[in-house]
Amino acid sequence: MGASKKRTAPNARVVESSKGIFPSFRAASKATGVEEGTIQSRIEKGWTADQALGIEAPPKIEPRGKEVVCAGVKYKSVPSLARAFGFNNIRVYKRLARNWPPEQAVGLEPAPPCRITKTAFAG
């Protein structure tokens, strides 16, 4: 009997990186110590092989926040607005949710008057 070849899964995907060419995610995992599933999901998300294997830094994530304009200045998100004025971003989110203008939400202008209704005092 001849020596048997090492079996490779028929659906294995080749991983080409600066550390070498690996016949599968499993082989790349064994060589680098990164979990097989982690490598696969990273590559499926569009990471390069070197990023997926931990050789290079991961790609930078673009903020997905909603742009906010306050006092004529554009901020990428509510948290960046809150940081710029030293506020907790949850507080700013809540104020904006109550329809406060951004300038009031971060204390550039006085807060809107408090609205007290009769039902607030009903027992």
Side-chain angles (χ1 to χ4, degrees):
M1 292 186 113
S4 64
K5 289 186 177 179
K6 199 166 191 175
R7 185 180 174 289
T8 304
N11 60 347
R13 289 181 39 197
V14 176
V15 180
E16 295 182 30
S17 74
S18 62
K19 279 196 172 183
I21 299 173
F22 305 100
S24 65
F25 293 129
R26 181 168 291 154
S29 174
K30 287 181 181 178
T32 61
V34 178
E35 290 288 329
E36 183 179 342
T38 301
I39 295 170
Q40 182 176 356
S41 69
R42 287 175 175 176
I43 289 176
E44 288 173 356
K45 289 178 183 175
W47 292 29
T48 66
D50 282 348
Q51 290 170 335
L53 298 175
I55 300 167
E56 292 179 1
K60 290 188 177 184
I61 299 171
E62 292 297 319
R64 296 185 214 167
K66 184 178 175 184
E67 193 174 81
V68 182
V69 178
C70 179
V73 179
K74 287 184 184 179
Y75 295 90
K76 290 183 179 181
S77 62
V78 174
S80 64
L81 169 68
R83 266 192 310 276
F85 291 92
F87 276 81
N88 177 301
N89 59 344
I90 294 172
R91 176 177 287 168
V92 176
Y93 271 118
K94 287 182 177 181
R95 289 177 174 181
L96 293 172
R98 286 188 227 123
N99 295 320
W100 287 29
E103 293 78 10
Q104 290 179 341
V106 295
L108 291 178
E109 295 178 3
C114 182
R115 290 179 280 153
I116 299 176
T117 60
K118 290 181 183 179
T119 57
F121 293 107

